[in-house]
Amino acid sequence: MASILRNELLVLRTENKLEKMTVIQLRSLMKKMNASTKGTKQELLGKITEFLELETPGETSEVRALKRVQTTETTVEKSSKKVSRRKTTTTTALEVSSEKSASPWTLLRHKKPKPDWIAYDPSTMRPSSPPSEKNLVKVISWNVNGLRACMKRKNELEEEGSVLARLANSEDFDVLCLQETKLQEKDVEAIKQKILGGYSNSFWTCSSSKLGYSGCALISRIKPVSVTYGLGISQHDGEGRVVTAEFDTFFLVSVYVPNSGQRLERLTYRTTEWDPAFSTYLLELEKRKPVIVTGDLNCAHEEIDIYDPDGNKRSAGFTCEERTSFQTNFIDKGLVDTFRKQHPLAVGFTYWSYRSNARPQNKGWRLDYFLVSQGLVSNVADSYVLPQLDGSDHCPIGLIIQTEQ
């Protein structure tokens, strides 16, 4: 009986009929589920959603994933009224105020989803443990959209409670790459004293052409062999966009690629000057050692990487010119997108605009990447996204890679 009812509800949801039902009709369904009939329409829809997410005995993980996929654009928005914990602990699909609530990134949100796409959920889709703890290096990359603002956003002025300190505690990374720090040179020393005291090696580059703009950093517990800044081309190096650290077996490049601009005023510069110059720079590094490139590359490469592809064809970060340049200058030159390699069908965003409250609805873009040389692909143990970490309009991404013996 339960399986028949579940199938009936799945059909109603797939055909977008649940939201069109009246409260009386929904309460009739709740009676069939042997559940409480109390609550508003939105609360009843939330209970039905939770019922459909429950595991069925003998059901495979793939089937459960497909059920999550069926939650599309018509997924119920969270109720404007809070549900009393005394009466019920259920929540609507997008409510994230308690630990038991569904997290927005676990819902497939895309305007043109393909049948086999699934939402990326780090709690279920990351390897339980790396194949070997020996010779592993963990790198985290994060566009913080202003480091001081990120630290102050939750009144985190001291290291012990800062979002970066908590990230270090939870991820225990070896190297942290930051983009869009928006610092001036005069601010760097004071900031270095406040964050991540356990990481003795830190390297910062700031914009000199426009103060309080752009900027990158690389913070490491492993001492690099050498560190360089920029591309070595004056016309590209005034905005503090590149830090390169040479380690024993690879180069690590933290980069903040120029945004093409709200009116695409820098599109030509980005695609015909910056991208080719950066590509040439990486190819020169590869002649010496394999390369890991990470940061905000300011391009959603494929339609799976953006919530609304049709609505953003002339938006910076998803123009045909930028996507073609990304393919031509990086992918076709042999660099591998590690997240997409590991998760070819996963919708996993890394950026959500502050406008229109995009993050709670998981209407985002994947702009942040780890690209690696072909020779490092087999060494990648995990390439992942940390959407649960707040503090910026981007979330951190991670890479665990095994170095050579």
PDB file of all heavy atoms in Angstrom, residues 143 179 253-259 270 274-275 278 282 293-300 317 322 326 330-331 335 337 350 366-371 394:
ATOM      1  N   ASN A 143      37.154  32.172  -3.378  1.00  0.00           N
ATOM      2  CA  ASN A 143      36.971  33.596  -3.662  1.00  0.00           C
ATOM      3  C   ASN A 143      36.191  34.170  -2.491  1.00  0.00           C
ATOM      4  O   ASN A 143      34.996  33.896  -2.324  1.00  0.00           O
ATOM      5  CB  ASN A 143      36.204  33.805  -4.973  1.00  0.00           C
ATOM      6  CG  ASN A 143      35.952  35.273  -5.273  1.00  0.00           C
ATOM      7  OD1 ASN A 143      35.695  36.078  -4.381  1.00  0.00           O
ATOM      8  ND2 ASN A 143      35.997  35.635  -6.537  1.00  0.00           N
ATOM      9  N   GLN A 179      41.112  34.238  -3.468  1.00  0.00           N
ATOM     10  CA  GLN A 179      40.982  35.193  -4.563  1.00  0.00           C
ATOM     11  C   GLN A 179      40.054  36.334  -4.144  1.00  0.00           C
ATOM     12  O   GLN A 179      39.235  36.180  -3.250  1.00  0.00           O
ATOM     13  CB  GLN A 179      40.410  34.536  -5.831  1.00  0.00           C
ATOM     14  CG  GLN A 179      41.249  33.392  -6.380  1.00  0.00           C
ATOM     15  CD  GLN A 179      40.886  32.080  -5.745  1.00  0.00           C
ATOM     16  OE1 GLN A 179      39.721  31.782  -5.532  1.00  0.00           O
ATOM     17  NE2 GLN A 179      41.886  31.247  -5.444  1.00  0.00           N
ATOM     18  N   VAL A 253      48.978  27.234  -9.003  1.00  0.00           N
ATOM     19  CA  VAL A 253      48.688  28.596  -9.445  1.00  0.00           C
ATOM     20  C   VAL A 253      47.324  29.018  -8.899  1.00  0.00           C
ATOM     21  O   VAL A 253      46.300  28.390  -9.199  1.00  0.00           O
ATOM     22  CB  VAL A 253      48.679  28.697 -10.981  1.00  0.00           C
ATOM     23  CG1 VAL A 253      48.423  30.142 -11.409  1.00  0.00           C
ATOM     24  CG2 VAL A 253      49.988  28.188 -11.564  1.00  0.00           C
ATOM     25  N   SER A 254      47.322  30.054  -8.081  1.00  0.00           N
ATOM     26  CA  SER A 254      46.069  30.646  -7.596  1.00  0.00           C
ATOM     27  C   SER A 254      45.768  31.856  -8.466  1.00  0.00           C
ATOM     28  O   SER A 254      46.586  32.766  -8.578  1.00  0.00           O
ATOM     29  CB  SER A 254      46.216  31.075  -6.130  1.00  0.00           C
ATOM     30  OG  SER A 254      45.051  31.753  -5.679  1.00  0.00           O
ATOM     31  N   VAL A 255      44.586  31.857  -9.093  1.00  0.00           N
ATOM     32  CA  VAL A 255      44.284  32.892 -10.077  1.00  0.00           C
ATOM     33  C   VAL A 255      42.873  33.435  -9.899  1.00  0.00           C
ATOM     34  O   VAL A 255      41.944  32.693  -9.562  1.00  0.00           O
ATOM     35  CB  VAL A 255      44.460  32.350 -11.520  1.00  0.00           C
ATOM     36  CG1 VAL A 255      43.531  31.165 -11.785  1.00  0.00           C
ATOM     37  CG2 VAL A 255      44.251  33.444 -12.559  1.00  0.00           C
ATOM     38  N   TYR A 256      42.738  34.716 -10.128  1.00  0.00           N
ATOM     39  CA  TYR A 256      41.428  35.370 -10.203  1.00  0.00           C
ATOM     40  C   TYR A 256      41.316  35.975 -11.598  1.00  0.00           C
ATOM     41  O   TYR A 256      41.842  37.051 -11.873  1.00  0.00           O
ATOM     42  CB  TYR A 256      41.312  36.434  -9.113  1.00  0.00           C
ATOM     43  CG  TYR A 256      40.015  37.219  -9.131  1.00  0.00           C
ATOM     44  CD1 TYR A 256      38.798  36.601  -9.413  1.00  0.00           C
ATOM     45  CD2 TYR A 256      40.012  38.591  -8.869  1.00  0.00           C
ATOM     46  CE1 TYR A 256      37.615  37.325  -9.430  1.00  0.00           C
ATOM     47  CE2 TYR A 256      38.839  39.317  -8.870  1.00  0.00           C
ATOM     48  CZ  TYR A 256      37.647  38.681  -9.152  1.00  0.00           C
ATOM     49  OH  TYR A 256      36.476  39.402  -9.174  1.00  0.00           O
ATOM     50  N   VAL A 257      40.652  35.263 -12.477  1.00  0.00           N
ATOM     51  CA  VAL A 257      40.549  35.668 -13.883  1.00  0.00           C
ATOM     52  C   VAL A 257      39.656  36.903 -13.998  1.00  0.00           C
ATOM     53  O   VAL A 257      38.617  36.989 -13.328  1.00  0.00           O
ATOM     54  CB  VAL A 257      39.993  34.506 -14.736  1.00  0.00           C
ATOM     55  CG1 VAL A 257      39.673  34.963 -16.151  1.00  0.00           C
ATOM     56  CG2 VAL A 257      40.995  33.356 -14.760  1.00  0.00           C
ATOM     57  N   PRO A 258      40.024  37.871 -14.837  1.00  0.00           N
ATOM     58  CA  PRO A 258      39.213  39.091 -14.969  1.00  0.00           C
ATOM     59  C   PRO A 258      37.776  38.806 -15.379  1.00  0.00           C
ATOM     60  O   PRO A 258      37.521  37.973 -16.248  1.00  0.00           O
ATOM     61  CB  PRO A 258      39.941  39.877 -16.070  1.00  0.00           C
ATOM     62  CG  PRO A 258      41.325  39.375 -16.047  1.00  0.00           C
ATOM     63  CD  PRO A 258      41.237  37.927 -15.658  1.00  0.00           C
ATOM     64  N   ASN A 259      36.860  39.504 -14.729  1.00  0.00           N
ATOM     65  CA  ASN A 259      35.451  39.447 -15.106  1.00  0.00           C
ATOM     66  C   ASN A 259      35.241  40.312 -16.350  1.00  0.00           C
ATOM     67  O   ASN A 259      35.819  41.386 -16.466  1.00  0.00           O
ATOM     68  CB  ASN A 259      34.599  39.961 -13.946  1.00  0.00           C
ATOM     69  CG  ASN A 259      33.115  39.764 -14.158  1.00  0.00           C
ATOM     70  OD1 ASN A 259      32.522  40.331 -15.071  1.00  0.00           O
ATOM     71  ND2 ASN A 259      32.508  38.962 -13.304  1.00  0.00           N
ATOM     72  N   ARG A 270      39.478  40.117 -22.103  1.00  0.00           N
ATOM     73  CA  ARG A 270      39.490  38.824 -21.415  1.00  0.00           C
ATOM     74  C   ARG A 270      39.774  37.675 -22.391  1.00  0.00           C
ATOM     75  O   ARG A 270      40.614  36.797 -22.122  1.00  0.00           O
ATOM     76  CB  ARG A 270      38.144  38.630 -20.711  1.00  0.00           C
ATOM     77  CG  ARG A 270      37.706  37.198 -20.434  1.00  0.00           C
ATOM     78  CD  ARG A 270      38.445  36.572 -19.274  1.00  0.00           C
ATOM     79  NE  ARG A 270      38.084  35.179 -19.145  1.00  0.00           N
ATOM     80  CZ  ARG A 270      37.009  34.728 -18.488  1.00  0.00           C
ATOM     81  NH1 ARG A 270      36.187  35.573 -17.905  1.00  0.00           N
ATOM     82  NH2 ARG A 270      36.777  33.432 -18.410  1.00  0.00           N
ATOM     83  N   TRP A 274      43.949  38.306 -22.168  1.00  0.00           N
ATOM     84  CA  TRP A 274      44.257  37.652 -20.897  1.00  0.00           C
ATOM     85  C   TRP A 274      44.296  36.136 -21.018  1.00  0.00           C
ATOM     86  O   TRP A 274      45.303  35.507 -20.641  1.00  0.00           O
ATOM     87  CB  TRP A 274      43.258  38.060 -19.815  1.00  0.00           C
ATOM     88  CG  TRP A 274      43.353  37.172 -18.602  1.00  0.00           C
ATOM     89  CD1 TRP A 274      42.683  36.013 -18.365  1.00  0.00           C
ATOM     90  CD2 TRP A 274      44.224  37.345 -17.477  1.00  0.00           C
ATOM     91  NE1 TRP A 274      43.063  35.464 -17.173  1.00  0.00           N
ATOM     92  CE2 TRP A 274      44.009  36.250 -16.616  1.00  0.00           C
ATOM     93  CE3 TRP A 274      45.161  38.318 -17.126  1.00  0.00           C
ATOM     94  CZ2 TRP A 274      44.701  36.102 -15.416  1.00  0.00           C
ATOM     95  CZ3 TRP A 274      45.851  38.167 -15.925  1.00  0.00           C
ATOM     96  CH2 TRP A 274      45.615  37.073 -15.085  1.00  0.00           C
ATOM     97  N   ASP A 275      43.229  35.514 -21.490  1.00  0.00           N
ATOM     98  CA  ASP A 275      43.178  34.049 -21.554  1.00  0.00           C
ATOM     99  C   ASP A 275      44.342  33.456 -22.354  1.00  0.00           C
ATOM    100  O   ASP A 275      44.999  32.512 -21.885  1.00  0.00           O
ATOM    101  CB  ASP A 275      41.842  33.588 -22.134  1.00  0.00           C
ATOM    102  CG  ASP A 275      40.698  33.681 -21.126  1.00  0.00           C
ATOM    103  OD1 ASP A 275      40.958  34.040 -19.957  1.00  0.00           O
ATOM    104  OD2 ASP A 275      39.542  33.394 -21.512  1.00  0.00           O
ATOM    105  N   PHE A 278      47.570  33.870 -20.276  1.00  0.00           N
ATOM    106  CA  PHE A 278      47.583  32.960 -19.127  1.00  0.00           C
ATOM    107  C   PHE A 278      47.833  31.524 -19.592  1.00  0.00           C
ATOM    108  O   PHE A 278      48.590  30.779 -18.962  1.00  0.00           O
ATOM    109  CB  PHE A 278      46.265  33.071 -18.362  1.00  0.00           C
ATOM    110  CG  PHE A 278      46.216  32.287 -17.086  1.00  0.00           C
ATOM    111  CD1 PHE A 278      47.252  32.376 -16.154  1.00  0.00           C
ATOM    112  CD2 PHE A 278      45.141  31.467 -16.788  1.00  0.00           C
ATOM    113  CE1 PHE A 278      47.208  31.660 -14.962  1.00  0.00           C
ATOM    114  CE2 PHE A 278      45.084  30.753 -15.603  1.00  0.00           C
ATOM    115  CZ  PHE A 278      46.123  30.843 -14.690  1.00  0.00           C
ATOM    116  N   LEU A 282      50.951  29.032 -18.483  1.00  0.00           N
ATOM    117  CA  LEU A 282      50.798  27.693 -17.916  1.00  0.00           C
ATOM    118  C   LEU A 282      51.560  26.650 -18.734  1.00  0.00           C
ATOM    119  O   LEU A 282      52.169  25.725 -18.167  1.00  0.00           O
ATOM    120  CB  LEU A 282      49.315  27.322 -17.845  1.00  0.00           C
ATOM    121  CG  LEU A 282      48.445  28.205 -16.950  1.00  0.00           C
ATOM    122  CD1 LEU A 282      46.980  27.800 -17.060  1.00  0.00           C
ATOM    123  CD2 LEU A 282      48.908  28.146 -15.491  1.00  0.00           C
ATOM    124  N   VAL A 293      45.977  24.415 -11.435  1.00  0.00           N
ATOM    125  CA  VAL A 293      45.437  25.775 -11.519  1.00  0.00           C
ATOM    126  C   VAL A 293      44.144  25.814 -10.727  1.00  0.00           C
ATOM    127  O   VAL A 293      43.263  24.963 -10.921  1.00  0.00           O
ATOM    128  CB  VAL A 293      45.129  26.164 -12.986  1.00  0.00           C
ATOM    129  CG1 VAL A 293      44.633  27.602 -13.049  1.00  0.00           C
ATOM    130  CG2 VAL A 293      46.347  25.971 -13.861  1.00  0.00           C
ATOM    131  N   THR A 294      44.018  26.777  -9.840  1.00  0.00           N
ATOM    132  CA  THR A 294      42.784  26.882  -9.070  1.00  0.00           C
ATOM    133  C   THR A 294      42.391  28.336  -8.880  1.00  0.00           C
ATOM    134  O   THR A 294      43.223  29.232  -8.913  1.00  0.00           O
ATOM    135  CB  THR A 294      42.922  26.201  -7.697  1.00  0.00           C
ATOM    136  OG1 THR A 294      41.634  26.184  -7.052  1.00  0.00           O
ATOM    137  CG2 THR A 294      43.909  26.936  -6.805  1.00  0.00           C
ATOM    138  N   GLY A 295      41.107  28.533  -8.684  1.00  0.00           N
ATOM    139  CA  GLY A 295      40.606  29.871  -8.415  1.00  0.00           C
ATOM    140  C   GLY A 295      39.295  30.133  -9.101  1.00  0.00           C
ATOM    141  O   GLY A 295      38.635  29.227  -9.625  1.00  0.00           O
ATOM    142  N   ASP A 296      38.932  31.404  -9.080  1.00  0.00           N
ATOM    143  CA  ASP A 296      37.719  31.865  -9.747  1.00  0.00           C
ATOM    144  C   ASP A 296      38.098  32.150 -11.204  1.00  0.00           C
ATOM    145  O   ASP A 296      38.713  33.163 -11.510  1.00  0.00           O
ATOM    146  CB  ASP A 296      37.208  33.131  -9.056  1.00  0.00           C
ATOM    147  CG  ASP A 296      35.973  33.712  -9.723  1.00  0.00           C
ATOM    148  OD1 ASP A 296      35.513  33.145 -10.733  1.00  0.00           O
ATOM    149  OD2 ASP A 296      35.481  34.746  -9.237  1.00  0.00           O
ATOM    150  N   LEU A 297      37.719  31.238 -12.096  1.00  0.00           N
ATOM    151  CA  LEU A 297      38.043  31.383 -13.512  1.00  0.00           C
ATOM    152  C   LEU A 297      36.970  32.159 -14.264  1.00  0.00           C
ATOM    153  O   LEU A 297      37.066  32.335 -15.478  1.00  0.00           O
ATOM    154  CB  LEU A 297      38.261  30.012 -14.158  1.00  0.00           C
ATOM    155  CG  LEU A 297      39.353  29.147 -13.505  1.00  0.00           C
ATOM    156  CD1 LEU A 297      39.663  27.930 -14.369  1.00  0.00           C
ATOM    157  CD2 LEU A 297      40.617  29.941 -13.241  1.00  0.00           C
ATOM    158  N   ASN A 298      35.942  32.592 -13.547  1.00  0.00           N
ATOM    159  CA  ASN A 298      34.923  33.486 -14.106  1.00  0.00           C
ATOM    160  C   ASN A 298      34.332  32.983 -15.412  1.00  0.00           C
ATOM    161  O   ASN A 298      34.108  33.745 -16.357  1.00  0.00           O
ATOM    162  CB  ASN A 298      35.497  34.899 -14.288  1.00  0.00           C
ATOM    163  CG  ASN A 298      35.041  35.827 -13.173  1.00  0.00           C
ATOM    164  OD1 ASN A 298      33.877  35.809 -12.775  1.00  0.00           O
ATOM    165  ND2 ASN A 298      35.954  36.627 -12.658  1.00  0.00           N
ATOM    166  N   CYS A 299      34.059  31.672 -15.451  1.00  0.00           N
ATOM    167  CA  CYS A 299      33.401  31.094 -16.621  1.00  0.00           C
ATOM    168  C   CYS A 299      32.642  29.842 -16.200  1.00  0.00           C
ATOM    169  O   CYS A 299      33.219  28.946 -15.579  1.00  0.00           O
ATOM    170  CB  CYS A 299      34.425  30.742 -17.699  1.00  0.00           C
ATOM    171  SG  CYS A 299      33.691  30.016 -19.190  1.00  0.00           S
ATOM    172  N   ALA A 300      31.358  29.796 -16.501  1.00  0.00           N
ATOM    173  CA  ALA A 300      30.581  28.565 -16.378  1.00  0.00           C
ATOM    174  C   ALA A 300      30.732  27.847 -17.718  1.00  0.00           C
ATOM    175  O   ALA A 300      30.148  28.252 -18.718  1.00  0.00           O
ATOM    176  CB  ALA A 300      29.121  28.878 -16.075  1.00  0.00           C
ATOM    177  N   GLY A 317      30.634  35.697 -17.987  1.00  0.00           N
ATOM    178  CA  GLY A 317      30.859  34.392 -17.392  1.00  0.00           C
ATOM    179  C   GLY A 317      30.193  33.261 -18.133  1.00  0.00           C
ATOM    180  O   GLY A 317      30.527  32.092 -17.905  1.00  0.00           O
ATOM    181  N   GLU A 322      33.480  33.587 -24.033  1.00  0.00           N
ATOM    182  CA  GLU A 322      34.215  33.139 -22.847  1.00  0.00           C
ATOM    183  C   GLU A 322      34.279  31.621 -22.769  1.00  0.00           C
ATOM    184  O   GLU A 322      35.331  31.045 -22.434  1.00  0.00           O
ATOM    185  CB  GLU A 322      33.551  33.694 -21.591  1.00  0.00           C
ATOM    186  CG  GLU A 322      33.727  35.188 -21.419  1.00  0.00           C
ATOM    187  CD  GLU A 322      32.759  35.759 -20.398  1.00  0.00           C
ATOM    188  OE1 GLU A 322      31.537  35.588 -20.557  1.00  0.00           O
ATOM    189  OE2 GLU A 322      33.234  36.388 -19.445  1.00  0.00           O
ATOM    190  N   PHE A 326      37.639  29.424 -22.897  1.00  0.00           N
ATOM    191  CA  PHE A 326      37.957  28.470 -21.826  1.00  0.00           C
ATOM    192  C   PHE A 326      38.331  27.119 -22.435  1.00  0.00           C
ATOM    193  O   PHE A 326      39.328  26.492 -22.057  1.00  0.00           O
ATOM    194  CB  PHE A 326      36.750  28.334 -20.900  1.00  0.00           C
ATOM    195  CG  PHE A 326      36.981  27.514 -19.668  1.00  0.00           C
ATOM    196  CD1 PHE A 326      37.305  28.123 -18.462  1.00  0.00           C
ATOM    197  CD2 PHE A 326      36.871  26.130 -19.701  1.00  0.00           C
ATOM    198  CE1 PHE A 326      37.518  27.373 -17.314  1.00  0.00           C
ATOM    199  CE2 PHE A 326      37.083  25.368 -18.557  1.00  0.00           C
ATOM    200  CZ  PHE A 326      37.406  25.992 -17.367  1.00  0.00           C
ATOM    201  N   PHE A 330      42.409  26.345 -22.364  1.00  0.00           N
ATOM    202  CA  PHE A 330      42.720  25.514 -21.199  1.00  0.00           C
ATOM    203  C   PHE A 330      42.428  24.032 -21.431  1.00  0.00           C
ATOM    204  O   PHE A 330      43.324  23.199 -21.347  1.00  0.00           O
ATOM    205  CB  PHE A 330      41.969  26.048 -19.976  1.00  0.00           C
ATOM    206  CG  PHE A 330      42.207  27.517 -19.761  1.00  0.00           C
ATOM    207  CD1 PHE A 330      41.165  28.420 -19.752  1.00  0.00           C
ATOM    208  CD2 PHE A 330      43.497  28.003 -19.589  1.00  0.00           C
ATOM    209  CE1 PHE A 330      41.397  29.774 -19.576  1.00  0.00           C
ATOM    210  CE2 PHE A 330      43.743  29.353 -19.416  1.00  0.00           C
ATOM    211  CZ  PHE A 330      42.685  30.250 -19.409  1.00  0.00           C
ATOM    212  N   ILE A 331      41.200  23.694 -21.753  1.00  0.00           N
ATOM    213  CA  ILE A 331      40.837  22.284 -21.910  1.00  0.00           C
ATOM    214  C   ILE A 331      41.534  21.674 -23.128  1.00  0.00           C
ATOM    215  O   ILE A 331      42.134  20.597 -23.042  1.00  0.00           O
ATOM    216  CB  ILE A 331      39.310  22.124 -22.018  1.00  0.00           C
ATOM    217  CG1 ILE A 331      38.623  22.756 -20.791  1.00  0.00           C
ATOM    218  CG2 ILE A 331      38.949  20.642 -22.134  1.00  0.00           C
ATOM    219  CD1 ILE A 331      39.072  22.219 -19.455  1.00  0.00           C
ATOM    220  N   LEU A 335      44.628  20.705 -20.038  1.00  0.00           N
ATOM    221  CA  LEU A 335      44.221  20.780 -18.639  1.00  0.00           C
ATOM    222  C   LEU A 335      42.887  20.070 -18.438  1.00  0.00           C
ATOM    223  O   LEU A 335      42.020  20.100 -19.308  1.00  0.00           O
ATOM    224  CB  LEU A 335      44.119  22.235 -18.197  1.00  0.00           C
ATOM    225  CG  LEU A 335      45.447  23.005 -18.137  1.00  0.00           C
ATOM    226  CD1 LEU A 335      45.196  24.475 -17.826  1.00  0.00           C
ATOM    227  CD2 LEU A 335      46.384  22.396 -17.090  1.00  0.00           C
ATOM    228  N   ASP A 337      39.463  19.447 -16.049  1.00  0.00           N
ATOM    229  CA  ASP A 337      38.555  19.945 -15.017  1.00  0.00           C
ATOM    230  C   ASP A 337      38.272  18.786 -14.061  1.00  0.00           C
ATOM    231  O   ASP A 337      37.520  17.870 -14.373  1.00  0.00           O
ATOM    232  CB  ASP A 337      37.270  20.433 -15.695  1.00  0.00           C
ATOM    233  CG  ASP A 337      36.206  20.902 -14.726  1.00  0.00           C
ATOM    234  OD1 ASP A 337      36.381  20.761 -13.499  1.00  0.00           O
ATOM    235  OD2 ASP A 337      35.173  21.415 -15.204  1.00  0.00           O
ATOM    236  N   THR A 350      29.195  26.942  -7.357  1.00  0.00           N
ATOM    237  CA  THR A 350      30.163  27.521  -6.417  1.00  0.00           C
ATOM    238  C   THR A 350      29.935  29.015  -6.195  1.00  0.00           C
ATOM    239  O   THR A 350      30.608  29.626  -5.369  1.00  0.00           O
ATOM    240  CB  THR A 350      31.604  27.329  -6.916  1.00  0.00           C
ATOM    241  OG1 THR A 350      31.801  28.084  -8.131  1.00  0.00           O
ATOM    242  CG2 THR A 350      31.904  25.854  -7.194  1.00  0.00           C
ATOM    243  N   ARG A 366      28.802  27.585 -11.560  1.00  0.00           N
ATOM    244  CA  ARG A 366      30.080  26.979 -11.171  1.00  0.00           C
ATOM    245  C   ARG A 366      31.184  27.764 -11.871  1.00  0.00           C
ATOM    246  O   ARG A 366      31.451  27.584 -13.057  1.00  0.00           O
ATOM    247  CB  ARG A 366      30.153  25.495 -11.559  1.00  0.00           C
ATOM    248  CG  ARG A 366      31.403  24.791 -11.000  1.00  0.00           C
ATOM    249  CD  ARG A 366      31.329  23.286 -11.159  1.00  0.00           C
ATOM    250  NE  ARG A 366      31.568  22.884 -12.534  1.00  0.00           N
ATOM    251  CZ  ARG A 366      32.735  22.443 -13.017  1.00  0.00           C
ATOM    252  NH1 ARG A 366      33.798  22.367 -12.212  1.00  0.00           N
ATOM    253  NH2 ARG A 366      32.845  22.074 -14.276  1.00  0.00           N
ATOM    254  N   LEU A 367      31.831  28.634 -11.111  1.00  0.00           N
ATOM    255  CA  LEU A 367      32.866  29.513 -11.653  1.00  0.00           C
ATOM    256  C   LEU A 367      34.255  29.163 -11.132  1.00  0.00           C
ATOM    257  O   LEU A 367      35.255  29.679 -11.642  1.00  0.00           O
ATOM    258  CB  LEU A 367      32.566  30.971 -11.291  1.00  0.00           C
ATOM    259  CG  LEU A 367      31.248  31.562 -11.803  1.00  0.00           C
ATOM    260  CD1 LEU A 367      31.092  32.997 -11.306  1.00  0.00           C
ATOM    261  CD2 LEU A 367      31.157  31.506 -13.321  1.00  0.00           C
ATOM    262  N   ASP A 368      34.334  28.316 -10.113  1.00  0.00           N
ATOM    263  CA  ASP A 368      35.594  28.022  -9.431  1.00  0.00           C
ATOM    264  C   ASP A 368      36.043  26.597  -9.760  1.00  0.00           C
ATOM    265  O   ASP A 368      35.235  25.658  -9.719  1.00  0.00           O
ATOM    266  CB  ASP A 368      35.414  28.199  -7.931  1.00  0.00           C
ATOM    267  CG  ASP A 368      34.870  29.585  -7.589  1.00  0.00           C
ATOM    268  OD1 ASP A 368      33.635  29.778  -7.634  1.00  0.00           O
ATOM    269  OD2 ASP A 368      35.686  30.472  -7.304  1.00  0.00           O
ATOM    270  N   TYR A 369      37.334  26.441 -10.034  1.00  0.00           N
ATOM    271  CA  TYR A 369      37.816  25.185 -10.594  1.00  0.00           C
ATOM    272  C   TYR A 369      39.156  24.768  -9.996  1.00  0.00           C
ATOM    273  O   TYR A 369      39.932  25.598  -9.504  1.00  0.00           O
ATOM    274  CB  TYR A 369      38.045  25.332 -12.108  1.00  0.00           C
ATOM    275  CG  TYR A 369      36.823  25.619 -12.936  1.00  0.00           C
ATOM    276  CD1 TYR A 369      36.292  26.909 -13.001  1.00  0.00           C
ATOM    277  CD2 TYR A 369      36.208  24.624 -13.691  1.00  0.00           C
ATOM    278  CE1 TYR A 369      35.182  27.192 -13.776  1.00  0.00           C
ATOM    279  CE2 TYR A 369      35.097  24.895 -14.482  1.00  0.00           C
ATOM    280  CZ  TYR A 369      34.591  26.182 -14.512  1.00  0.00           C
ATOM    281  OH  TYR A 369      33.484  26.463 -15.289  1.00  0.00           O
ATOM    282  N   PHE A 370      39.430  23.470 -10.126  1.00  0.00           N
ATOM    283  CA  PHE A 370      40.763  22.915 -10.071  1.00  0.00           C
ATOM    284  C   PHE A 370      41.018  22.264 -11.421  1.00  0.00           C
ATOM    285  O   PHE A 370      40.369  21.272 -11.779  1.00  0.00           O
ATOM    286  CB  PHE A 370      40.901  21.863  -8.967  1.00  0.00           C
ATOM    287  CG  PHE A 370      41.163  22.425  -7.604  1.00  0.00           C
ATOM    288  CD1 PHE A 370      40.118  22.587  -6.700  1.00  0.00           C
ATOM    289  CD2 PHE A 370      42.443  22.791  -7.216  1.00  0.00           C
ATOM    290  CE1 PHE A 370      40.357  23.106  -5.438  1.00  0.00           C
ATOM    291  CE2 PHE A 370      42.679  23.316  -5.954  1.00  0.00           C
ATOM    292  CZ  PHE A 370      41.638  23.471  -5.063  1.00  0.00           C
ATOM    293  N   LEU A 371      41.928  22.841 -12.186  1.00  0.00           N
ATOM    294  CA  LEU A 371      42.370  22.256 -13.444  1.00  0.00           C
ATOM    295  C   LEU A 371      43.764  21.677 -13.223  1.00  0.00           C
ATOM    296  O   LEU A 371      44.606  22.315 -12.583  1.00  0.00           O
ATOM    297  CB  LEU A 371      42.430  23.300 -14.560  1.00  0.00           C
ATOM    298  CG  LEU A 371      41.184  24.147 -14.826  1.00  0.00           C
ATOM    299  CD1 LEU A 371      41.443  25.121 -15.979  1.00  0.00           C
ATOM    300  CD2 LEU A 371      39.972  23.280 -15.143  1.00  0.00           C
ATOM    301  N   HIS A 394      30.752  33.259  -3.087  1.00  0.00           N
ATOM    302  CA  HIS A 394      31.308  31.992  -3.556  1.00  0.00           C
ATOM    303  C   HIS A 394      31.452  31.057  -2.368  1.00  0.00           C
ATOM    304  O   HIS A 394      31.493  31.496  -1.213  1.00  0.00           O
ATOM    305  CB  HIS A 394      32.701  32.189  -4.163  1.00  0.00           C
ATOM    306  CG  HIS A 394      32.723  32.964  -5.446  1.00  0.00           C
ATOM    307  ND1 HIS A 394      33.039  32.399  -6.665  1.00  0.00           N
ATOM    308  CD2 HIS A 394      32.496  34.275  -5.696  1.00  0.00           C
ATOM    309  CE1 HIS A 394      32.997  33.321  -7.606  1.00  0.00           C
ATOM    310  NE2 HIS A 394      32.665  34.476  -7.046  1.00  0.00           N
TER     311      HIS A 394
END
